[in-house]
Amino acid sequence: MLSGTITGLLCIAWVLFLYLTDNNPYGPKRTLADFFTPIAAVASQILLRRYYGEQGPGLGKSVGVGILTSVVTAMVAAAGMYTFSRLTGPELIVRHLAEARQMLEATKAMYMKQANGMQQYQATLRNLATTAAGFAQDEFVKKLLFGTVLSIPGGVFLRK
């Protein structure tokens, strides 16, 4: 739980760092913090393995610790993103949406070369988060997904 909380706070600190350095805290650079979760999940599994010594914690405990770390990280990061979005106001979100639409428009030709490209382009445009709750949900899902995906193989390798 401690490593999940610390990692969630680190994700919040990354968003604040982007904001304070005049970068878009909702933009592509925010996704760099998505890698913190799997690193913390595997690190907590390594710590659990060291705690149990030679016999190892077993598969359930090892995978469970990684998933628990991912869930806690995702909850803390999502709560931080929601709070940040509410405190900074809708102007920052509007500015991000304009920037995101401009980036999508620049890549529209690439979408059109693919099968069902227009539908993919429209779905991407439609799925952009537009509210504080939407950004928090996006943050939660990404952190939980990346953390869980890497917790399972990490738990398998670190069980004994």
Side-chain angles (χ1 to χ4, degrees):
M1 293 254 304
L2 180 63
S3 61
T5 304
I6 291 170
T7 306
L9 293 173
L10 185 61
C11 293
I12 295 168
W14 178 251
V15 170
L16 290 174
F17 172 76
L18 291 174
Y19 177 70
L20 294 174
T21 57
D22 290 328
N23 286 293
N24 183 356
Y26 302 118
K29 290 181 183 176
R30 177 177 61 111
T31 60
L32 293 174
D34 292 344
F35 298 108
F36 296 164
T37 307
I39 292 169
V42 171
S44 66
Q45 290 170 329
I46 290 170
L47 292 173
L48 182 72
R49 169 92 164 107
R50 285 186 182 166
Y51 177 78
Y52 277 94
E54 288 299 314
Q55 74 248 12
L59 182 63
K61 286 182 184 176
S62 187
V63 171
V65 162
I67 291 175
L68 179 64
T69 301
S70 300
V71 168
V72 171
T73 299
M75 289 183 352
V76 171
M81 179 57 78
Y82 180 79
T83 304
F84 173 79
S85 298
R86 296 290 292 180
L87 290 175
T88 55
E91 299 83 23
L92 194 59
I93 294 174
V94 169
R95 194 170 78 203
H96 162 69
L97 289 172
E99 188 177 303
R101 285 187 180 108
Q102 185 179 26
M103 285 178 14
L104 272 173
E105 190 63 37
T107 60
K108 189 173 185 178
M110 288 175 34
Y111 278 99
M112 295 307 137
K113 291 178 184 177
Q114 300 174 4
N116 297 327
M118 188 60 166
Q119 290 87 355
Q120 291 176 6
Y121 174 79
Q122 290 172 344
T124 303
L125 191 59
R126 187 175 49 250
N127 291 333
L128 289 174
T130 59
T131 63
F135 282 108
Q137 181 181 9
D138 181 55
E139 189 81 357
F140 181 80
V141 169
K142 284 182 180 176
K143 300 288 189 272
L144 188 61
L145 180 67
F146 286 136
T148 302
V149 165
L150 280 168
S151 291
I152 295 170
V156 170
F157 287 113
L158 295 168
R159 70 179 185 259
K160 283 191 175 184

